[in-house]
Amino acid sequence: QSSDIWHIEKCGRTIIFHTLNRLIYLNDENLGSIEPWNNGIFHNVFKTSQNTLLINGLDAGWFYFAPHKKFALMNVQGLSIPADKCYSVLCTGKNSFLFFFRNSGIYRVRFDGESFLSAQKISGKKTDEWLAEKQVYNACFSRDSSKIILGTLAGGAYLVDNSDSLSSFTVLSGMQNATGIVSVYGVFNDPSFNTWILGKRNLSLLPSDLSMAYESFRGITVRSLVRLKNELFVASGNGLYALNIQNGLFANPKIICEGAFNKAVQVGDTLYASTGNMIALYHHGKLSLYDSPFFINDISVIRNSLWISTQNGLFEGLKNLQNNTPTIKDKNILQSIAS
């Protein structure tokens, strides 16, 4: 059935596709799905261990999905935590996590894979109001975990000391425009612990020393990033771009293909990127385009195959991808599978 896939996670040998109204799981070539109880939704999912997915069901409560337990959806036992929109869960140690809620503040929680063993609210009223006003959306740690970098929908990106209280949020230099409002949809670390900040209409880089955030370019809607050697590929609503990275900064941006791109993934030194109706393959400077008869929501590389989520279902598009020999059996990649 048609479902917009929000997240793709791997638990053991099982691949899990998260949509609002179902979890779709793939294990040893077998597909199955689980729906929320009592007409609820799966608001968000968080991988808390190699084999466990924690699920925020809002008013329906919290669940966990463990493929090794007969692919069943289970209620989290133990203490209660808020049935609020949770946008980020950071691991701080074995079975220890920080939960960032939209309206209920910040909690330090111990979760052993089945039960909430403890739950301590560590934010005060002022911080709770600030989180709700700025609309916290995601978070990640600095290199030494001494600070947390927060992205918000209504206030840009912020730094906060990773302390017992998590207060005194400081806006990042270079992350506010003339109106003081920058919508941040993603903050994440690369292997060098530089932090990439995806804004609604810009892309910025925060070096690992947490100095000023450098804006790469303005006026594009960043959807996805892939780094291949010294080039950063940007799938955006304005096209597919390549940026040369020199000394941690950007230089010589060039457009590879025009179009409203949604996602980019890599296999070896090959880039695959998707719009709503086509997939672009970029390899050693050569661009190839492949049409789709169905509207494409998302693409992902799983077990050396390119999986494609469309409004007409989930398809395995390119099979047995090789690092240096990208191949597509049919010019129309999805039609050959659907038939």
Side-chain angles (χ1 to χ4, degrees), residues 253-282:
K254 64 179 180 181
I255 187 164
I256 295 175
C257 185
E258 295 183 350
F261 282 85
N262 300 314
K263 185 73 175 286
V265 297
Q266 75 176 95
V267 176
D269 55 1
T270 301
L271 178 80
Y272 300 93
S274 64
T275 69
N277 57 14
M278 74 173 180
I279 288 179
L281 185 157
Y282 189 72

